[in-house]
Amino acid sequence: MPVNRGFIGRQFAAPTTYEVGREHIRSFCRAIGEASPVCLDPAAARAAGHPDVVAPPTFLTVLSFRFAADGPVADPELGLDYRLVVHGEQGFTLHRPVVAGDVLHSVVTVADITDAGRNELIRTVTEVTGAQGEPVATLTGTIVSRGTAAERTG
Amino acid sequence: MTPTYDRVQPGDPLPEGRFPIDRARLIAYAGASGDHNVIHWNERVARAVGLPDVIAHGMATMALAMRVVTDWAGDPAALLSCSVRFSRPVVVPDDDSGALLVVTGSVRELLGDARVGVVLRASVGEDRVLSSVQAVVRLA
Protein backbone atom coordinates (compact mmCIF):
# COMPACT_ATOMS: atom_id res chain seq x y z
CA MET A 1 0.00 0.00 0.00
CA PRO A 2 1.59 3.31 -0.97
CA VAL A 3 2.17 5.87 1.73
CA ASN A 4 0.03 8.98 1.90
CA ARG A 5 1.39 11.56 -0.58
CA GLY A 6 -0.79 14.16 1.15
CA PHE A 7 2.05 14.39 3.67
CA ILE A 8 4.27 16.18 1.19
CA GLY A 9 4.92 19.64 2.58
CA ARG A 10 3.61 18.86 6.06
CA GLN A 11 5.66 20.18 8.94
CA PHE A 12 6.16 18.58 12.32
CA ALA A 13 7.50 20.87 15.04
CA ALA A 14 9.05 19.27 18.09
CA PRO A 15 6.71 19.80 21.06
CA THR A 16 9.53 20.91 23.36
CA THR A 17 13.09 22.09 23.06
CA TYR A 18 16.02 19.69 23.32
CA GLU A 19 18.65 20.48 25.93
CA VAL A 20 22.13 19.41 24.89
CA GLY A 21 23.95 18.01 27.91
CA ARG A 22 27.63 17.49 28.63
CA GLU A 23 27.17 13.96 29.90
CA HIS A 24 25.07 13.05 26.90
CA ILE A 25 27.77 14.32 24.56
CA ARG A 26 30.35 12.33 26.53
CA SER A 27 28.23 9.19 26.32
CA PHE A 28 27.85 9.64 22.55
CA CYS A 29 31.60 10.11 22.22
CA ARG A 30 32.25 6.86 24.11
CA ALA A 31 29.87 5.00 21.83
CA ILE A 32 31.71 6.14 18.70
CA GLY A 33 35.22 6.24 20.13
CA GLU A 34 35.59 10.01 19.86
CA ALA A 35 38.35 11.11 22.24
CA SER A 36 38.93 14.71 21.25
CA PRO A 37 39.30 16.92 24.34
CA VAL A 38 37.02 19.60 22.81
CA CYS A 39 34.18 17.05 22.99
CA LEU A 40 34.91 15.90 26.53
CA ASP A 41 36.57 18.67 28.54
CA PRO A 42 34.95 22.10 28.94
CA ALA A 43 38.29 23.79 29.59
CA ALA A 44 39.72 22.40 26.36
CA ALA A 45 36.57 23.42 24.50
CA ARG A 46 36.78 26.97 25.85
CA ALA A 47 40.49 27.18 25.01
CA ALA A 48 39.47 26.33 21.44
CA GLY A 49 36.92 29.14 21.41
CA HIS A 50 33.71 27.19 22.15
CA PRO A 51 31.31 28.00 25.00
CA ASP A 52 31.34 24.38 26.21
CA VAL A 53 32.08 20.87 24.94
CA VAL A 54 31.30 20.30 21.26
CA ALA A 55 29.07 17.50 20.06
CA PRO A 56 30.44 15.23 17.31
CA PRO A 57 29.01 16.15 13.91
CA THR A 58 26.33 13.46 13.69
CA PHE A 59 25.13 13.99 17.28
CA LEU A 60 21.88 15.66 16.23
CA THR A 61 20.60 12.25 15.21
CA VAL A 62 19.39 12.23 18.81
CA LEU A 63 16.62 14.65 17.81
CA SER A 64 14.97 12.15 15.47
CA PHE A 65 14.66 9.62 18.26
CA ARG A 66 13.83 12.07 21.04
CA PHE A 67 10.92 13.41 18.98
CA ALA A 68 10.07 10.31 16.93
CA ALA A 69 6.56 10.14 18.37
CA ASP A 70 5.86 13.67 17.11
CA GLY A 71 7.27 13.23 13.62
CA PRO A 72 5.92 12.06 10.28
CA VAL A 73 7.13 8.46 10.54
CA ALA A 74 5.05 7.77 13.64
CA ASP A 75 1.92 9.39 12.23
CA PRO A 76 -0.54 6.59 11.40
CA GLU A 77 -2.05 8.74 8.64
CA LEU A 78 1.17 8.41 6.71
CA GLY A 79 0.40 4.73 6.24
CA LEU A 80 3.97 3.60 6.77
CA ASP A 81 4.68 0.02 7.83
CA TYR A 82 7.75 0.38 10.00
CA ARG A 83 8.77 -3.23 9.32
CA LEU A 84 9.33 -2.26 5.68
CA VAL A 85 11.43 0.82 6.44
CA VAL A 86 15.15 1.16 5.97
CA HIS A 87 17.24 4.28 6.27
CA GLY A 88 18.28 5.38 2.78
CA GLU A 89 20.36 8.51 3.16
CA GLN A 90 21.34 11.02 5.79
CA GLY A 91 23.04 14.41 5.68
CA PHE A 92 24.00 17.10 8.16
CA THR A 93 24.91 20.70 7.56
CA LEU A 94 26.17 22.40 10.71
CA HIS A 95 25.73 26.16 10.61
CA ARG A 96 27.69 26.26 13.84
CA PRO A 97 29.00 23.58 16.23
CA VAL A 98 26.48 22.12 18.64
CA VAL A 99 27.67 22.59 22.23
CA ALA A 100 26.58 21.52 25.69
CA GLY A 101 24.10 24.06 27.01
CA ASP A 102 22.39 24.53 23.66
CA VAL A 103 18.61 24.60 23.79
CA LEU A 104 17.43 23.51 20.37
CA HIS A 105 14.16 23.68 18.52
CA SER A 106 13.56 21.46 15.51
CA VAL A 107 10.98 21.27 12.74
CA VAL A 108 10.74 18.34 10.33
CA THR A 109 9.27 18.93 6.88
CA VAL A 110 8.29 16.10 4.57
CA ALA A 111 10.03 17.45 1.50
CA ASP A 112 9.00 14.80 -1.00
CA ILE A 113 7.62 11.31 -1.45
CA THR A 114 8.60 9.57 -4.68
CA ASP A 115 8.78 6.17 -6.28
CA ALA A 116 12.08 4.41 -6.86
CA GLY A 117 11.28 1.18 -8.64
CA ARG A 118 9.06 -0.83 -6.29
CA ASN A 119 10.02 1.28 -3.30
CA GLU A 120 8.88 4.65 -2.05
CA LEU A 121 11.31 7.26 -0.82
CA ILE A 122 10.30 9.72 1.89
CA ARG A 123 12.64 12.68 2.06
CA THR A 124 12.62 14.90 5.13
CA VAL A 125 14.39 18.12 6.00
CA THR A 126 14.85 19.10 9.65
CA GLU A 127 15.74 22.67 10.55
CA VAL A 128 17.36 23.03 13.94
CA THR A 129 17.56 26.44 15.60
CA GLY A 130 19.12 27.67 18.83
CA ALA A 131 17.91 29.66 21.79
CA GLN A 132 18.20 32.96 19.89
CA GLY A 133 16.36 31.50 16.93
CA GLU A 134 19.67 31.26 15.07
CA PRO A 135 20.20 28.47 12.53
CA VAL A 136 22.18 25.63 14.06
CA ALA A 137 21.85 22.73 11.65
CA THR A 138 19.93 21.35 8.69
CA LEU A 139 19.42 17.60 8.55
CA THR A 140 18.30 15.81 5.42
CA GLY A 141 17.17 12.22 5.40
CA THR A 142 15.55 9.70 3.14
CA ILE A 143 13.78 6.65 4.36
CA VAL A 144 12.89 3.82 2.05
CA SER A 145 9.53 2.10 2.28
CA ARG A 146 10.30 -1.22 0.66
CA GLY A 147 7.95 -2.57 -1.97
CA THR A 148 5.10 -0.15 -1.34
CA ALA A 149 5.16 1.79 -4.61
CA ALA A 150 1.78 1.83 -6.38
CA GLU A 151 1.47 -0.81 -9.08
CA ARG A 152 1.64 0.46 -12.59
CA THR A 153 -0.81 -0.77 -15.20
CA GLY A 154 0.06 -1.40 -18.85
CA MET B 1 50.36 15.55 10.84
CA THR B 2 47.38 17.91 10.95
CA PRO B 3 46.69 19.17 7.43
CA THR B 4 46.58 22.88 6.67
CA TYR B 5 44.65 24.46 3.84
CA ASP B 6 47.74 25.92 2.22
CA ARG B 7 49.39 22.50 2.00
CA VAL B 8 46.55 20.12 1.16
CA GLN B 9 46.04 18.89 -2.44
CA PRO B 10 43.20 17.13 -4.21
CA GLY B 11 43.93 13.42 -4.11
CA ASP B 12 45.68 13.55 -0.74
CA PRO B 13 44.67 10.44 1.21
CA LEU B 14 43.13 10.57 4.66
CA PRO B 15 44.51 8.09 7.21
CA GLU B 16 42.49 4.88 7.13
CA GLY B 17 40.12 4.18 10.00
CA ARG B 18 39.46 0.63 11.21
CA PHE B 19 36.51 0.38 13.57
CA PRO B 20 35.43 -2.90 15.17
CA ILE B 21 31.65 -2.92 15.57
CA ASP B 22 30.57 -5.52 18.09
CA ARG B 23 27.32 -6.00 19.97
CA ALA B 24 28.68 -3.97 22.88
CA ARG B 25 29.18 -0.96 20.64
CA LEU B 26 25.63 -1.30 19.32
CA ILE B 27 24.25 -1.23 22.85
CA ALA B 28 26.33 1.83 23.69
CA TYR B 29 25.19 3.54 20.49
CA ALA B 30 21.54 2.64 21.09
CA GLY B 31 21.69 4.27 24.50
CA ALA B 32 23.59 7.33 23.35
CA SER B 33 21.52 7.99 20.25
CA GLY B 34 18.10 7.01 21.54
CA ASP B 35 17.69 4.55 18.65
CA HIS B 36 16.45 1.47 20.45
CA ASN B 37 15.23 -0.23 17.27
CA VAL B 38 15.22 -3.88 18.20
CA ILE B 39 16.89 -5.04 14.97
CA HIS B 40 20.09 -3.54 16.34
CA TRP B 41 20.21 -5.79 19.39
CA ASN B 42 17.83 -8.71 19.05
CA GLU B 43 18.65 -11.57 16.68
CA ARG B 44 15.22 -13.20 16.90
CA VAL B 45 13.46 -10.07 15.69
CA ALA B 46 16.17 -9.23 13.14
CA ARG B 47 15.69 -12.65 11.53
CA ALA B 48 11.92 -12.38 11.73
CA VAL B 49 12.03 -9.27 9.52
CA GLY B 50 14.30 -10.98 7.02
CA LEU B 51 17.73 -9.86 8.15
CA PRO B 52 20.52 -12.44 8.49
CA ASP B 53 21.35 -11.28 12.03
CA VAL B 54 21.51 -8.12 14.13
CA ILE B 55 22.64 -5.15 12.03
CA ALA B 56 24.39 -1.96 13.09
CA HIS B 57 22.59 1.36 13.18
CA GLY B 58 23.31 3.06 9.87
CA MET B 59 23.95 6.24 11.83
CA ALA B 60 26.58 4.49 13.95
CA THR B 61 28.41 3.57 10.78
CA MET B 62 28.10 7.15 9.54
CA ALA B 63 29.44 8.53 12.83
CA LEU B 64 32.46 6.23 12.65
CA ALA B 65 33.14 7.13 9.02
CA MET B 66 33.09 10.82 9.87
CA ARG B 67 35.64 10.24 12.62
CA VAL B 68 38.14 9.62 9.84
CA VAL B 69 37.51 13.16 8.64
CA THR B 70 37.55 14.86 12.04
CA ASP B 71 40.57 12.85 13.24
CA TRP B 72 42.42 13.94 10.10
CA ALA B 73 41.39 17.58 10.50
CA GLY B 74 42.27 17.40 14.20
CA ASP B 75 38.97 19.00 15.23
CA PRO B 76 35.45 17.56 15.48
CA ALA B 77 34.05 21.10 15.33
CA ALA B 78 35.59 21.61 11.89
CA LEU B 79 33.20 19.34 10.01
CA LEU B 80 30.70 21.62 8.28
CA SER B 81 28.60 19.11 6.36
CA CYS B 82 28.45 15.42 5.59
CA SER B 83 26.21 12.97 3.84
CA VAL B 84 26.00 9.27 3.12
CA ARG B 85 23.83 6.75 1.39
CA PHE B 86 23.26 3.54 3.36
CA SER B 87 24.03 0.92 0.76
CA ARG B 88 24.43 -2.37 2.62
CA PRO B 89 23.61 -3.40 6.18
CA VAL B 90 26.47 -4.06 8.59
CA VAL B 91 25.77 -7.48 10.05
CA VAL B 92 27.10 -7.80 13.59
CA PRO B 93 27.39 -11.38 14.78
CA ASP B 94 27.27 -12.27 18.46
CA ASP B 95 30.97 -12.91 18.93
CA ASP B 96 33.98 -11.14 20.35
CA SER B 97 35.08 -9.41 17.18
CA GLY B 98 31.87 -8.28 15.47
CA ALA B 99 32.22 -6.56 12.09
CA LEU B 100 35.26 -4.56 11.06
CA LEU B 101 34.41 -1.27 9.37
CA VAL B 102 37.24 0.03 7.19
CA VAL B 103 37.05 3.64 6.07
CA THR B 104 39.39 5.29 3.59
CA GLY B 105 39.19 8.70 2.03
CA SER B 106 40.85 11.43 0.06
CA VAL B 107 40.63 15.13 -0.57
CA ARG B 108 38.39 15.79 -3.56
CA GLU B 109 38.59 19.55 -3.94
CA LEU B 110 39.58 22.83 -2.37
CA LEU B 111 36.50 24.99 -1.83
CA GLY B 112 37.99 28.27 -0.64
CA ASP B 113 37.66 29.84 2.80
CA ALA B 114 39.89 27.04 4.17
CA ARG B 115 37.24 24.43 3.36
CA VAL B 116 37.98 21.14 1.63
CA GLY B 117 35.64 18.53 0.22
CA VAL B 118 36.53 14.92 0.96
CA VAL B 119 35.14 11.63 -0.28
CA LEU B 120 35.22 8.40 1.68
CA ARG B 121 34.75 4.68 1.17
CA ALA B 122 33.31 2.56 3.95
CA SER B 123 33.41 -1.21 3.73
CA VAL B 124 32.95 -4.31 5.83
CA GLY B 125 34.80 -7.11 4.08
CA GLU B 126 33.77 -6.93 0.44
CA ASP B 127 30.57 -4.99 1.15
CA ARG B 128 30.50 -1.29 0.48
CA VAL B 129 28.25 -0.41 3.40
CA LEU B 130 28.06 3.33 2.77
CA SER B 131 28.14 5.00 -0.62
CA SER B 132 28.23 8.60 -1.81
CA VAL B 133 30.12 9.42 1.38
CA GLN B 134 31.23 13.01 1.43
CA ALA B 135 32.09 15.75 3.85
CA VAL B 136 33.20 19.36 3.90
CA VAL B 137 35.67 20.30 6.61
CA ARG B 138 37.36 23.57 7.50
CA LEU B 139 41.11 23.21 7.98
CA ALA B 140 43.49 25.32 9.95
Side-chain angles (χ1 to χ4, degrees):
Chain A
M1 258 279 313
V3 303
N4 181 355
R5 305 268 163 129
F7 267 56
I8 298 172
R10 279 206 209 173
Q11 297 201 311
F12 296 77
T16 67
T17 52
Y18 178 88
E19 297 169 30
V20 179
R22 258 185 215 165
E23 294 302 343
H24 200 148
I25 287 176
R26 288 170 175 153
S27 154
F28 193 88
C29 287
R30 275 195 300 277
I32 67 168
E34 175 58 73
S36 171
V38 299
C39 296
L40 303 174
D41 174 6
R46 283 191 289 268
H50 305 290
D52 208 307
V53 294
V54 175
T58 67
F59 178 81
L60 290 181
T61 188
V62 298
L63 296 175
S64 349
F65 299 102
R66 171 69 181 81
F67 299 117
D70 311 288
V73 168
D75 190 326
E77 281 187 25
L78 178 60
L80 189 64
D81 181 348
Y82 203 66
R83 292 167 305 175
L84 302 176
V85 164
V86 289
H87 200 167
E89 301 178 352
Q90 187 66 38
F92 297 81
T93 298
L94 294 162
H95 309 300
R96 66 156 171 81
V98 173
V99 296
D102 272 340
V103 178
L104 302 176
H105 185 49
S106 55
V107 180
V108 181
T109 302
V110 178
D112 209 354
I113 302 176
T114 53
D115 286 348
R118 295 178 55 240
N119 300 333
E120 294 185 282
L121 304 181
I122 302 166
R123 192 164 59 85
T124 61
V125 178
T126 303
E127 294 294 348
V128 183
T129 51
Q132 320 303 324
E134 78 280 17
V136 171
T138 303
L139 280 56
T140 56
T142 302
I143 68 172
V144 180
S145 176
R146 289 179 292 135
T148 59
E151 293 205 355
R152 297 182 201 292
T153 51
Chain B
M1 210 180 90
T2 306
T4 55
Y5 190 74
D6 59 349
R7 283 245 173 82
V8 79
Q9 300 281 334
D12 284 356
L14 274 56
E16 178 183 272
R18 297 171 79 82
F19 305 101
I21 303 177
D22 59 8
R23 295 286 180 94
R25 190 192 289 277
L26 298 189
I27 291 294
Y29 188 81
S33 66
D35 183 357
H36 297 126
N37 191 328
V38 71
I39 61 173
H40 302 309
W41 54 269
N42 185 298
E43 227 164 278
R44 171 181 51 91
V45 175
R47 291 192 206 281
V49 298
L51 293 165
D53 203 334
V54 161
I55 63 169
H57 312 71
M59 287 305 305
T61 310
M62 182 179 186
L64 293 170
M66 292 310 150
R67 274 209 32 228
V68 164
V69 182
T70 57
D71 288 356
W72 172 71
D75 182 6
L79 196 148
L80 305 177
S81 66
C82 56
S83 64
V84 310
R85 190 166 290 174
F86 299 107
S87 41
R88 312 282 303 209
V90 174
V91 178
V92 181
D94 180 14
D95 61 28
D96 292 335
S97 47
L100 181 65
L101 177 71
V102 178
V103 181
T104 58
S106 59
V107 175
R108 178 164 62 188
E109 55 185 326
L110 308 187
L111 299 169
D113 194 22
R115 293 167 305 137
V116 300
V118 302
V119 286
L120 305 168
R121 291 169 69 108
S123 307
V124 172
E126 296 295 308
D127 282 352
R128 182 84 71 87
V129 296
L130 301 177
S131 64
S132 306
V133 187
Q134 48 192 331
V136 174
V137 61
R138 177 168 277 127
L139 298 183

